[in-house]
Amino acid sequence: MKLGGREHGFTLVEMVTVIVLLSIIAVVLAPFIANAIQAWHDGKARAELVARGRLALERLAREVRQAVPNSLETLDAGQGIQFVRSRAGGRYIERFDNFGTAFTRMNRRFRKNVALANGLYKMGTGLSVSAGDILVIGNTSPVALKAFPGNGPAVLLSGISATTSAADGTNQGQILGFANHRFPVDSPGRHFTIADQTVEVGLTGNTLRWHTAAGLTNYDANADWGASDPVLVDGVSAVSFTYAPGTPAATGVLRIDLQLATDTNNSIRLYHEVHVRNTP
């Protein structure tokens, strides 16, 4: 287009000069842009690792807090743990409890070191028992619990029935049924727990897996988890479990040191403590 008799536009030299200058600017800025993009991707990857790790630790902590007292222990040189899960619990009736005319049959009241051949009274109603449920009273250590099925803190339940005013002096209780059994230790608070599963959590390759077995099956010194068990969290580069059991008057502490990674540039390390109530 002509304006005032002259032509306007860019010469070839001007265009080449602009292209050269833009190329130089692009070469200078490219590493900064690439580093910013890589930093964003790395930050996103680490955030996802943290979220996955925290979710796994929170789930594990929630389950561990439901463990039967004094059932938690480490396995496989600290790369796993096992514990017995408590499904329910309550208060049993002890020999010298004063309930007047209620719970009158003495052979259904708790007495340590005396065989209970006719079940055990418990307060309240509404508790149900499933096949394979185990009654635990006064457990003091994993070793004591592993005495099952002999006389010890655990016995297999055969069922549960209601008390009656005619036979037991009350209809506000239940009778936990089991075969002839002697409990060597009582509970200071007269507590009992109903256990339904043995739980193991351990490392296989780079995956932390969740293994369960009915009752006290697999509650031993062996690591029973494997590649067919459900995944708790993957991408694990290292894990360490340590446990201080505490005392009946003080909680135990489970320490979990978990390291997750997607590659050599993206890794995190999470540390978590779970306080475990061990009063029998």
Side-chain angles (χ1 to χ4, degrees):
M1 182 178 68
K2 292 184 177 181
L3 183 61
R6 299 180 62 184
E7 294 183 355
H8 291 270
F10 297 104
T11 66
L12 179 60
V13 173
E14 290 173 332
M15 292 181 65
V16 171
T17 302
V18 170
I19 292 172
V20 170
L21 291 173
L22 289 176
S23 299
I24 294 172
I25 294 172
V27 169
V28 173
L29 294 180
F32 297 99
I33 296 173
N35 289 339
I37 294 174
Q38 186 62 47
W40 180 83
H41 281 293
D42 289 346
K44 182 180 179 183
R46 282 191 290 270
E48 290 176 351
L49 284 176
V50 170
R52 285 167 45 206
R54 285 180 175 172
L55 182 62
L57 292 175
E58 288 172 3
R59 180 191 174 188
L60 182 55
R62 186 167 56 248
E63 292 289 336
V64 164
R65 292 190 181 102
Q66 300 300 317
V68 169
N70 301 298
S71 67
L72 179 66
E73 62 179 354
T74 60
L75 296 174
D76 197 23
Q79 291 194 103
I81 60 170
Q82 73 172 354
F83 59 91
V84 179
R85 189 180 74 170
S86 173
R87 180 181 66 81
R91 183 195 187 282
Y92 62 77
I93 306 301
E94 199 266 341
R95 181 181 184 183
F96 297 107
D97 282 335
N98 183 7
F99 285 95
T101 58
F103 305 107
T104 54
R105 298 187 62 174
M106 296 303 296
N107 56 3
R108 290 178 179 167
R109 288 179 167 233
F110 183 87
R111 289 169 291 171
K112 69 178 181 180
N113 290 319
V114 174
L116 299 175
N118 293 282
L120 178 66
Y121 283 133
K122 65 166 287 287
M123 290 185 64
T125 61
L127 180 66
S128 60
V129 171
S130 302
D133 280 351
I134 294 172
L135 172 64
V136 182
I137 296 176
N139 181 50
T140 56
S141 69
V143 173
L145 197 55
K146 288 171 186 174
F148 178 84
N151 285 321
V155 63
L156 182 68
L157 287 169
S158 58
I160 191 167
S161 58
T163 58
T164 65
S165 297
D168 309 292
T170 180
N171 57 7
Q172 298 302 312
Q174 290 178 291
I175 303 166
L176 297 166
F178 49 84
N180 187 49
H181 189 78
R182 177 176 57 83
F183 292 95
V185 179
D186 58 0
S187 165
R190 297 175 174 80
H191 298 144
F192 71 85
T193 56
I194 305 296
D196 64 346
Q197 284 186 346
T198 294
V199 179
E200 293 185 11
V201 178
L203 188 64
T204 300
N206 65 345
T207 304
L208 204 57
R209 294 189 177 271
W210 191 277
H211 174 81
T212 59
L216 293 181
T217 304
N218 291 345
Y219 187 68
D220 49 33
N222 301 319
D224 299 298
W225 57 82
S228 61
D229 289 315
V231 175
L232 179 61
V233 64
D234 58 7
V236 180
S237 56
V239 66
S240 174
F241 294 95
T242 57
Y243 183 56
T247 67
T251 59
V253 180
L254 173 65
R255 298 178 176 89
I256 311 168
D257 190 346
L258 177 65
Q259 298 179 50
L260 304 178
T262 57
D263 51 50
T264 55
N265 295 322
N266 295 297
S267 62
I268 63 165
R269 184 174 181 177
L270 299 175
Y271 178 79
H272 191 59
E273 290 187 354
V274 185
H275 290 261
V276 186
R277 186 175 181 270
N278 278 328
T279 304

